[in-house]
Amino acid sequence: MSTDAIVMLREGHKEIRRLIRSYRVERNAEAVEPFLRALTVYTYIEREGMYPRVCVLVPETEPDILRFVEEHHIADVLAAELYDMRPDDVAFDAKARLLMDIVERHMDAEDDRWFPRVRAAVGRRELQEIGAWMMRLAERAPQHPHRPSPQQMWDTVAA
Ligand SMILES: [Fe+2]
């Protein structure tokens, strides 16, 4: 398996998109739990491994990264609430769909606009080092959503 950071994150997006499709199209409520798990791990490795490093290497993309961090924060709040709900809860479907819409839009922005800019600016070796670091982070990543404070989110990128 490649440890290129962008390849890894795109693979994470693919898995998340597959689970979103399963929920929306096949109406499979059981897709929500693996979706939340995949989202939690992906969020952790990107926020701890990718964003801080790219902030240093490609500082002109910092405004994008700050926006992505906020999008992840909103997703974290919804994911933590959804994780505590049962599928028969009256708000479950509305919350799941809103979360999936936000996550999908976020992944589109990264896939279509941010990753190409990072790819153009960062060398292959550096991306492989970030990827290797993210693989180590994945081993200790939380497996279910929790709600961080906005200040913690900021500290991660500013560090
Ligand atoms: Fe992201």
Side-chain angles (χ1 to χ4, degrees):
M1 186 185 162
S2 171
T3 55
D4 180 288
I6 292 173
V7 172
M8 267 182 79
L9 291 171
R10 282 192 191 277
E11 280 169 4
H13 286 185
K14 260 189 224 159
E15 172 68 359
I16 291 167
R17 287 184 200 279
R18 185 183 69 76
L19 292 162
I20 289 175
R21 212 163 33 242
S22 176
Y23 183 75
R24 279 196 194 136
V25 180
E26 296 153 30
R27 303 201 166 268
N28 177 15
E30 290 184 5
V32 169
E33 202 177 322
F35 162 75
L36 289 175
R37 196 179 325 118
L39 179 63
T40 301
V41 173
Y42 149 73
T43 299
Y44 181 78
I45 66 171
E46 188 171 61
R47 192 156 54 202
E48 302 297 317
M50 185 73 168
Y51 292 157
R53 197 73 200 117
V54 175
C55 241
V56 172
L57 294 169
V58 199
E60 63 270 28
T61 70
E62 185 175 301
D64 299 295
I65 293 169
L66 292 174
R67 159 112 187 183
F68 292 149
V69 167
E70 293 304 324
E71 290 173 351
H72 273 290
H73 175 62
I74 297 294
D76 282 348
V77 171
L78 292 173
E81 290 174 359
L82 190 61
Y83 183 72
D84 287 337
M85 282 181 171
R86 289 161 45 94
D88 59 2
D89 189 294
V90 69
F92 184 90
D93 185 61
K95 203 175 288 286
R97 283 174 187 273
L98 176 60
L99 171 59
M100 288 172 182
D101 289 349
I102 288 169
V103 169
E104 195 169 51
R105 202 175 136 160
H106 167 88
M107 295 189 300
D108 287 346
E110 289 186 343
D111 284 340
D112 299 343
R113 297 195 297 277
W114 190 59
F115 289 157
R117 288 182 70 193
V118 176
R119 170 76 68 203
V122 179
R124 208 174 135 155
R125 184 129 149 227
E126 183 78 43
L127 285 170
Q128 285 183 339
E129 278 170 19
I130 299 169
W133 169 232
M134 289 197 302
M135 281 183 95
R136 288 198 293 278
L137 286 170
E139 287 168 16
R140 64 171 197 239
Q143 298 294 308
H144 62 80
H146 61 287
R147 203 184 308 194
S149 73
Q151 192 55 45
Q152 283 173 328
M153 307 282 298
W154 237 106
D155 291 345
T156 301
V157 168

